[in-house]
């Protein structure tokens, strides 16, 4: 009986449709509309490309397809943590990712220093998808000391917000050396690398561990392309002693509601820095990995003092440029 009913139904489908339209003119055939192309996301440069390229581009998804994918749209970052190495950039990024309106790349893209020839489309494809009102971010600490990075980021968007996490340059240099030592145990001592000539006390500024800490010099390059108000300087020391306070400043700078507060942190005495009570997408406490918080080797205090004397004038200039006293002396 069921088969008979199905047979009658499908047999009638064509003829019944014909009867329903008989006596009335057939509607004109209309070509299906072309897919609507999305305009560039806010802050992105308009890219010249063919219709076929834009249709094929994975980032040219319509709002409807994005809704069904449940994942939003890929955008170029509106904010970038540009430095500095061993300053606390990883901690800052992990803390920020707790905020529901921050979406960030986990790995360092190194686009503006190592992969620039791959193009903005490649860069944008690395970004997480965001919904309206969310901020796309990435962090690559080496950008701060890369001469070409300011012009390249400005070319992408002059409105990009920049964040620099800075730390006592002497402590930062020792931390940098400690990281290298963990990978290459046979490298020369910190003391021997610090000086071109230890007898005269001439500091070797060509050594990257020393050179990165001359913050004023690097900042001058950035100020050629960005106003000082578009760069936020986060204290690596206060990020440890008062993470909620520093995160409050960052959230204000990014135009975000202050959601990350004291209740999100606890202090891990073993590691010596704050950890998250709940990480992004998890209900469990989270601390940075074992590569963070390494014990520093003992450094000759005479060498430490020589370095403090060397950095002092640069620190003073940096304080003047930023309007902040970081208290490194």
């Amino acid at each position: 009986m069921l088969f008979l009913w199905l047979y009658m139904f499908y047999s009638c489908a064509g003829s019944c449709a014909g009867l329903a339209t008989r006596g009335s003119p057939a509607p004109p055939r209309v070509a299906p509309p072309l897919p609507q192309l999305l305009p560039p996301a806010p802050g992105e440069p308009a890219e010249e490309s063919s219709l076929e390229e834009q249709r094929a581009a994975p980032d040219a998804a319509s709002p409807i397809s994005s809704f069904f994918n449940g994942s939003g749209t890929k955008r170029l970052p509106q904010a970038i943590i540009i430095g500095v190495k061993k300053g606390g950039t990883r901690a800052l990024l992990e803390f920020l990712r707790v905020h529901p309106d921050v979406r960030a790349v986990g790995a360092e893209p190194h686009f503006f220093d190592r992969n620039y020839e791959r193009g903005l489309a490649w860069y944008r494809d690395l970004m997480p998808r965001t919904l309206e009102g969310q901020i796309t971010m990435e962090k690559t600490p080496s950008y701060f000391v890369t001469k070409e990075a300011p012009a390249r980021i400005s070319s992408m968007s002059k409105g990009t917000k920049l964040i620099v996490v800075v730390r006592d340059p002497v402590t930062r240099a020792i931390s940098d050396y400690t990281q290298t030592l963990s990978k290459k145990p046979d490298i020369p001592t910190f003391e021997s690398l610090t000086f071109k000539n230890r007898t005269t006390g001439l500091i070797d500024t060509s050594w990257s561990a020393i050179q990165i800490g001359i913050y004023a010099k690097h900042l001058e390059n950035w100020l050629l392309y960005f106003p000082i108000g578009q760069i936020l300087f986060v204290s690596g020391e206060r990020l440890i002693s008062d993470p909620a306070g520093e995160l409050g400043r960052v959230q204000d700078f990014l135009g975000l509601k202050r959601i990350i507060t004291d209740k999100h942190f606890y202090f891990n005495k073993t590691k010596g820095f704050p950890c998250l009570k709940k990480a992004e997408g998890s209900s469990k406490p989270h601390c940075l990995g074992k590569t963070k918080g390494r014990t520093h080797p003992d450094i000759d205090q005479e060498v430490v003092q020589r370095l403090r004397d060397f950095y002092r004038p640069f620190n003073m200039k940096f304080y003047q440029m930023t309007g902040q006293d970081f208290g490194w002396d």
Side-chain angles (χ1 to χ4, degrees):
M1 190 66 184
L2 177 61
F3 290 111
L4 179 60
W5 182 85
L6 289 172
Y7 174 78
M8 292 175 65
F9 176 79
Y10 285 111
S11 297
C12 178
S15 57
C16 291
L19 289 171
T21 57
R22 190 172 298 163
S24 60
R29 294 175 64 90
V30 180
L34 291 172
Q36 186 175 3
L37 301 179
L38 290 178
E44 294 182 22
E47 297 177 8
E48 295 184 6
S49 57
S50 67
L51 182 64
E52 290 74 17
E53 287 174 333
Q54 293 190 52
R55 285 179 185 169
D59 298 321
S62 71
I64 293 178
S65 65
S66 295
F67 172 80
F68 283 112
N69 289 336
S71 53
T73 305
K74 290 190 176 186
R75 297 178 174 88
L76 291 169
Q78 294 93 30
I80 304 176
I81 300 174
I82 58 173
V84 298
K85 181 183 179 184
K86 307 309 295 179
T89 58
R90 171 55 59 184
L92 178 60
L93 186 70
E94 292 299 309
F95 295 164
L96 275 174
R97 290 174 76 175
V98 173
H99 201 293
D101 290 333
V102 171
R103 300 277 285 127
V105 183
E108 296 174 1
H110 283 281
F111 175 65
F112 295 104
D113 56 353
R114 302 178 190 170
N115 295 300
Y116 194 64
E117 73 284 350
R118 293 175 180 265
L120 285 172
W122 177 88
Y123 182 47
R124 183 167 59 181
D125 195 52
L126 298 178
M127 299 299 125
R129 293 183 179 273
T130 54
L131 302 174
E132 191 67 31
Q134 291 182 318
I135 291 178
T136 303
M137 291 187 67
E138 71 114 318
K139 78 107 176 170
T140 304
S142 53
Y143 290 163
F144 189 63
V145 297
T146 299
K147 187 176 180 180
E148 299 81 9
R152 290 172 174 177
I153 294 177
S154 177
S155 177
M156 176 187 74
S157 172
K158 295 183 182 300
T160 306
K161 293 186 176 182
L162 309 172
I163 300 175
V164 186
V165 188
V166 288
R167 180 184 184 186
D168 181 330
V170 178
T171 310
R172 197 222 65 81
I174 296 171
S175 181
D176 198 336
Y177 173 80
T178 304
Q179 182 181 53
T180 304
L181 184 65
S182 69
K183 299 174 182 177
K184 302 177 181 178
D186 58 342
I187 62 171
T189 64
F190 180 88
E191 290 83 353
S192 62
L193 291 170
T194 297
F195 299 102
K196 281 187 176 180
N197 187 322
R198 187 164 182 177
T199 303
T200 61
L202 183 62
I203 303 294
D204 188 356
T205 56
S206 66
W207 184 29
S208 64
I210 300 296
Q211 203 253 355
I212 290 172
I214 309 175
Y215 303 140
K217 175 185 175 183
H218 304 302
L219 181 56
E220 286 177 343
N221 190 30
W222 287 90
L223 294 180
L224 296 175
Y225 298 90
F226 293 93
I228 193 72
Q230 210 166 307
I231 309 174
L232 181 69
F233 300 91
V234 174
S235 165
E237 287 82 11
R238 287 196 294 270
L239 197 57
I240 294 174
S241 64
D242 181 20
E246 284 300 280
L247 265 293
R249 294 179 59 241
V250 177
Q251 289 170 97
D252 291 347
F253 176 71
L254 295 175
L256 298 170
K257 183 179 179 181
R258 284 200 178 196
I259 289 177
I260 306 171
T261 62
D262 282 323
K263 68 181 181 181
H264 288 90
F265 302 98
Y266 73 95
F267 192 81
N268 186 305
K269 293 182 180 179
T270 303
K271 285 185 170 290
F273 53 74
C275 300
L276 290 167
K277 290 181 180 177
K278 293 181 181 180
E280 178 196 25
S282 172
S283 60
K284 298 179 180 180
H286 172 69
C287 274
L288 298 179
K290 62 182 180 180
T291 61
K292 305 298 181 181
R294 293 186 184 95
T295 301
H296 291 178
D298 290 328
I299 306 297
D300 186 330
Q301 286 306 300
E302 181 189 350
V303 174
V304 172
Q305 189 56 51
R306 289 277 187 93
L307 277 176
R308 294 209 175 280
D309 294 340
F310 166 77
Y311 279 121
R312 187 169 293 110
F314 296 109
N315 290 345
M316 294 301 108
K317 185 176 181 180
F318 185 66
Y319 295 172
Q320 292 175 346
M321 295 171 77
T322 61
Q324 292 179 238
D325 185 338
F326 291 90
W328 294 326
D329 289 291

